[in-house]
Amino acid sequence: MLDLPAKIEGYGTIRAYRAADAAPQTGKVARRSKLLPDLGAAIDACELKDGATVSFHHHLRNGDEVLNLVMEALARRGLKNLHVAATSIFPVHAPLVGHIENGTVGRISASFISGPVGEAVARGALAEPVVLRTHGGRARVLDQGELKVDAAFVAAPAADELGNISGRTGRTACGTLGYPMADVEVARNVVAVTDSLVPFPAQPIDIPQGKVDFVVAIDRIGDANGIASGTTKPAEDKVSLAIGEHAAAAISASGLLREGFSFQTGAGGVSLATASAVRQEMATKGVTGSFCAGGITGFHVDMLNAGLFRTLMDVQCFDLAAVRSYQTDPRHQAMSAAIYAGPHVGGAVVDRVDAVILGATEVDLDFNVNVTTKAGGEIIGGSGGHADVAAGARLTIVTTRLTAAGYAKIVPAVGTLTTPGATVDVVVTDAGIAVNPLRADLAQRLRGAGLPVVAIDALAAQAAATATRPTPPRATGRVVAVSEYRDGSVTDVVRQIEE
Amino acid sequence: MLDLPAKIEGYGTIRAYRAADAAPQTGKVARRSKLLPDLGAAIDACELKDGATVSFHHHLRNGDEVLNLVMEALARRGLKNLHVAATSIFPVHAPLVGHIENGTVGRISASFISGPVGEAVARGALAEPVVLRTHGGRARVLDQGELKVDAAFVAAPAADELGNISGRTGRTACGTLGYPMADVEVARNVVAVTDSLVPFPAQPIDIPQGKVDFVVAIDRIGDANGIASGTTKPAEDKVSLAIGEHAAAAISASGLLREGFSFQTGAGGVSLATASAVRQEMATKGVTGSFCAGGITGFHVDMLNAGLFRTLMDVQCFDLAAVRSYQTDPRHQAMSAAIYAGPHVGGAVVDRVDAVILGATEVDLDFNVNVTTKAGGEIIGGSGGHADVAAGARLTIVTTRLTAAGYAKIVPAVGTLTTPGATVDVVVTDAGIAVNPLRADLAQRLRGAGLPVVAIDALAAQAAATATRPTPPRATGRVVAVSEYRDGSVTDVVRQIEE
């Protein structure tokens, strides 16, 4: 026993060190492990109760198996009325419908919902309205404590028994882990669910052990081939190419395509056709951009490797070429959902984007965009980062055909307002380019460049004339989903389809 | 204005989106910047008051200029009685003595103090006792809210105006930023101080913008050549080489030198001489280790590149060769102080270390180690990670000569107890190897390998006989520093030198 004073002025009471406090006999620390035998044990360790909030991310997209396995385990534990706080829900998550029906799930919030769950919600499966948040808005409510997560389940392509997670190794490598990076900062418990338990320390680490409480090894977290759900190649049909050419020309005419240019596109065919045209012009002009942001595809990687951009800021790899790039190239950087799109972080990456190419299900006369519901009111998406980057980018271009599947896409009023028109600068269609009247300067530049600038009303009239099916009226039932803007205000509600 | 219900059952009151809430006219987000004109503006922005706690890290070691510049700016603002919560204080920080004398600084806590500040403290310059914490203990009190930091000043080799920090680029690149990684998680304000303001986004990012509030660009944050303060090459003198050989032989005899071996050494000559001998044996045996941890030198990098270890876990680069490696090699990984050494994280990296080589100013008959004070009581160090890794490692080896500068280094009782003897397994000297009686198994293994195992008492007797100067008695004045163990208990106090 040490001979120490009991109390020291300016320090306080002294608790003397004793070896036995650290460990009997040796003072040595026992090697601990966060590994649990199965998901049931993790659920117990998290002390989840009825009504708890469990969160998931969608880096494996339509190849994800973790959400279903965890929900199955939660159902087996007999838990009820759970809140599923997912980043995105895909067709592969159809079993959620059964969990809603049997009362395991009582609430859902997400940034994007497609497939059977969206259909079931639109038809009134849940008593409580779904909350659809933007990616940035979801990060905001997490950081500000508005959304409290009891357990965040991280689909981990590789993990060690102390919880270091790598998205870059393992048979289901998905690349960056931008979405759970936001959840693990605040969740009461974090569970890494992996099918590749590696010796300590995992390498390279994407989420460090300090953010992870438990680790569970399972047979399979999903199918990496499901990551590239949907197109991630430039479109090749004539109409898409023409829209892409015009969108690229609009960027050029805007004056933004200069040294340090920053760019975001989705992974859709028209977006990448635009990127392809922009790429050509950057190469011709000898412009080096600063960064591409958002979900990243092999197309963006090619631009990086061609020296057209200095770095990629990647919240989610959209295809396996992007995963491979992130595995080895330090210029290909991960960012969390908060840093990507948060309205609360004092300057998100989306705020630094010069030009973004976005898609639309519908655009209306006020330039409002719907990417939440399809004609008839079924939920087929949600903002994701759409509304975030629209608000942040200097030039927000929405590309769309005049009609699709016989329905007009330029309409008097959108079926659901996802992204406010005030944040949309230009709409590029196969029948001309409409510029938001708030951007008179831009209309002038585009006209000066010889681009076919037309009024949005004219596009709507032409769309109506071309459409072979009338836009159905909005559903009129009770509210089944709330479309929450990044700042917590509400842009719209989705009402129940009554048949 | 949208036509929305005022309230929705299960959601609550609706606040309808209005473009004007986001930004007048356009709904667009203004581009914000965290850049402030100078340190004075940052101090104002942090709203620092008398008695505030300001934190610093020591990645630039004796080349750091940030601490002095910030303290000068704080003094110019007229602030008094500040608490300087540094990770380490070096001779270059001598101006702190003046700030103590004029009342700007009222309290200091650190993990290591050398040079004029340690001398001044030992002579009673501060009315309040300095709190010396281990690296892991410091991370623990930060995470647990025991140490509240009002402003963490991060010496940033490169930063952009949104606060992304890179330790890998810029003219003062220092490599990993493991210590401030702990501070930025919890500090009320974080200020990046850089001499290399780069275009957004910085690349590669070591501390992301979400953790940083303000950015200040200054002329010079320090001298990168100061990073390698002290030796970072294996010793070449006969005595050191012999100690190193014996330490390496002890590791080998312990049975730990097998596939997956994990290893930590300091940057001192004997530590690296030991590493050199261990390296030879690994190569001969064909053993591949899992990781080297701690502060990393070019010597560790060479072992990585020779394929002897799978990865490096680096809290701080100890020389420029390590910096270069971290710049380009993803197997060279950063870790925060908490993950490195925290006793509160459910399994730190130090808990996974098989063998560690540590130094000592003094070792006593109970195997207690002093690395805090030199003979006479002057403060010349502190635990740093010493006590953390001693507690975590399976085999903790302390190497020391029997005497130095005429003083015995194996003594009846240490001048200051930094690292408890219960956590020290072996002491290797130029006169034989002492094994802690708690580790009878180990003594047997070492004897079996033909190593000269002797009693610690015999070493102490021989040291006393060899010493040309008597060990001075402990100082007897008031308590000027408290040596706090990683768990918050107190191992010892340092008393004022009275002349």
Side-chain angles (χ1 to χ4, degrees), chain B residues 238-438:
Chain B
K238 264 194 182 166
V239 175
S240 299
L241 285 175
I243 293 175
E245 288 287 346
H246 274 167
I251 293 173
S252 184
S254 75
L256 291 167
L257 198 64
R258 53 177 182 238
E259 203 63 17
F261 175 63
S262 54
F263 192 33
Q264 179 164 344
T265 73
V270 175
S271 280
L272 294 182
T274 308
S276 182
V278 168
R279 175 184 174 155
Q280 287 236 333
E281 182 142 357
M282 290 178 76
T284 307
K285 281 192 173 170
V287 164
T288 306
S290 53
F291 67 92
C292 288
I296 296 295
T297 70
F299 192 85
H300 300 96
V301 170
D302 288 345
M303 291 198 287
L304 177 73
N305 289 331
L308 295 175
F309 288 93
R310 184 165 52 78
T311 184
L312 304 177
M313 297 297 283
D314 186 347
V315 70
Q316 170 179 35
C317 294
F318 271 148
D319 60 23
L320 298 178
V323 174
R324 282 191 296 274
S325 163
Y326 179 60
Q327 282 168 338
T328 56
D329 191 338
R331 298 173 304 171
H332 189 149
Q333 305 197 86
M335 62 178 168
S336 74
I339 287 174
Y340 165 41
H344 62 300
V345 299
V349 170
V350 292
D351 302 350
R352 295 284 167 154
V353 168
D354 285 331
V356 63
I357 310 298
L358 295 169
T361 306
E362 294 173 327
V363 183
D364 72 18
L365 300 180
D366 291 326
F367 289 76
N368 296 316
V369 179
N370 171 18
V371 288
T372 303
T373 50
K374 71 175 184 183
E378 194 178 300
I379 295 170
I380 45 94
S383 168
H386 198 285
D388 296 309
V389 67
R394 287 206 162 138
L395 177 62
T396 298
I397 297 179
V398 169
T399 61
T400 179
R401 291 170 183 237
L402 271 193
T403 62
Y407 293 107
K409 299 194 70 176
I410 313 291
V411 293
V414 286
T416 306
L417 198 169
T418 317
T419 295
T423 64
V424 174
D425 301 296
V426 177
V427 178
V428 178
T429 73
D430 42 333
I433 303 177
V435 180
N436 193 321
L438 294 169

Side-chain angles (χ1 to χ4, degrees), chain A residues 301-318:
Chain A
V301 170
D302 288 345
M303 290 198 289
L304 177 72
N305 289 331
L308 294 175
F309 287 94
R310 181 164 54 78
T311 183
L312 304 177
M313 297 298 284
D314 187 347
V315 69
Q316 169 179 34
C317 295
F318 272 148

Side-chain angles (χ1 to χ4, degrees), chain A residues 29-379:
Chain A
V29 173
R31 285 198 178 175
R32 278 168 288 187
S33 166
K34 298 175 183 172
L35 192 62
L36 295 175
D38 55 33
L39 290 172
I43 291 165
D44 295 345
C46 293
E47 300 183 340
L48 297 180
K49 310 265 182 263
D50 289 354
T53 296
V54 289
S55 86
F56 301 94
H57 65 99
H58 68 288
H59 289 264
L60 293 172
R61 300 179 70 80
N62 206 39
D64 172 63
E65 294 178 11
V66 168
L67 187 149
N68 291 341
L69 288 168
V70 171
M71 292 314 302
E72 205 179 295
L74 289 161
R76 268 203 306 275
R77 278 288 187 277
L79 290 164
K80 294 292 175 195
N81 197 29
L82 298 170
H83 172 197
V84 173
T87 51
S88 296
I89 293 172
F90 284 91
V92 72
H93 300 125
L96 259 186
V97 177
H99 293 303
I100 293 170
E101 285 165 357
N102 67 31
T104 303
V105 173
R107 287 169 66 204
I108 291 178
S109 58
S111 299
F112 184 95
I113 303 180
S114 67
V117 176
E119 202 172 325
V121 167
R123 286 185 163 70
L126 275 169
E128 308 238 351
V130 163
V131 183
L132 292 166
R133 293 192 178 92
T134 71
H135 284 321
R138 184 177 183 279
R140 182 186 61 77
V141 293
L142 283 171
D143 281 345
Q144 297 184 343
E146 228 175 281
L147 171 60
K148 292 195 198 308
V149 173
D150 295 298
F153 291 89
V154 181
D160 63 42
E161 62 172 326
L162 285 180
N164 290 300
I165 297 173
S166 179
R168 282 175 270 193
T169 54
R171 57 184 166 163
T172 324
C174 66
T176 76
L177 294 168
Y179 294 112
M181 281 169 80
D183 294 49
V184 303
E185 291 283 326
V186 294
R188 196 164 60 77
N189 296 282
V190 175
V191 182
V193 182
T194 190
D195 55 6
S196 180
L197 187 69
V198 297
F200 179 86
Q203 186 271 317
I205 295 166
D206 287 296
I207 292 179
Q209 63 185 63
K211 307 288 185 190
V212 178
D213 301 293
F214 307 109
V215 179
V216 176
I218 63 173
D219 287 342
R220 196 177 129 108
I221 63 168
D223 175 7
N225 291 315
I227 291 173
S229 315
T231 328
T232 66
K233 286 203 163 46
E236 288 176 353
D237 66 285
K238 262 193 182 166
V239 176
S240 299
L241 285 175
I243 292 174
E245 289 286 347
H246 274 165
I251 294 172
S252 184
S254 74
L256 292 167
L257 198 64
R258 52 177 183 238
E259 204 62 19
F261 175 63
S262 53
F263 193 32
Q264 180 166 345
T265 74
V270 174
S271 281
L272 294 182
T274 308
S276 182
V278 167
R279 174 185 176 156
Q280 287 238 330
E281 182 143 356
M282 289 177 76
T284 307
K285 281 190 171 169
V287 165
T288 306
S290 52
F291 67 92
C292 287
I296 295 295
T297 70
F299 193 86
H300 300 97
V301 170
D302 288 345
M303 290 198 289
L304 177 72
N305 289 331
L308 294 175
F309 287 94
R310 181 164 54 78
T311 183
L312 304 177
M313 297 298 284
D314 187 347
V315 69
Q316 169 179 34
C317 295
F318 272 148
D319 60 23
L320 299 178
V323 174
R324 282 191 296 273
S325 163
Y326 179 61
Q327 282 168 339
T328 55
D329 191 338
R331 298 173 305 172
H332 189 150
Q333 306 198 86
M335 62 178 168
S336 74
I339 287 173
Y340 165 41
H344 63 299
V345 299
V349 170
V350 293
D351 302 351
R352 295 283 166 155
V353 168
D354 285 331
V356 63
I357 310 297
L358 295 170
T361 307
E362 294 173 326
V363 184
D364 72 18
L365 301 180
D366 291 327
F367 289 75
N368 296 316
V369 179
N370 171 19
V371 288
T372 303
T373 51
K374 71 175 183 183
E378 194 178 299
I379 294 170

Side-chain angles (χ1 to χ4, degrees), chain B residues 416-476:
Chain B
T416 306
L417 198 169
T418 317
T419 295
T423 64
V424 174
D425 301 296
V426 177
V427 178
V428 178
T429 73
D430 42 333
I433 303 177
V435 180
N436 193 321
L438 294 169
R439 298 295 309 275
D441 58 321
L442 191 62
Q444 207 162 5
R445 280 171 173 272
L446 266 54
R447 275 197 204 91
L451 288 168
V453 175
V454 296
I456 188 90
D457 314 59
L459 291 178
Q462 196 175 338
T466 315
T468 55
R469 301 155 110 174
T471 302
R474 279 187 169 217
T476 53

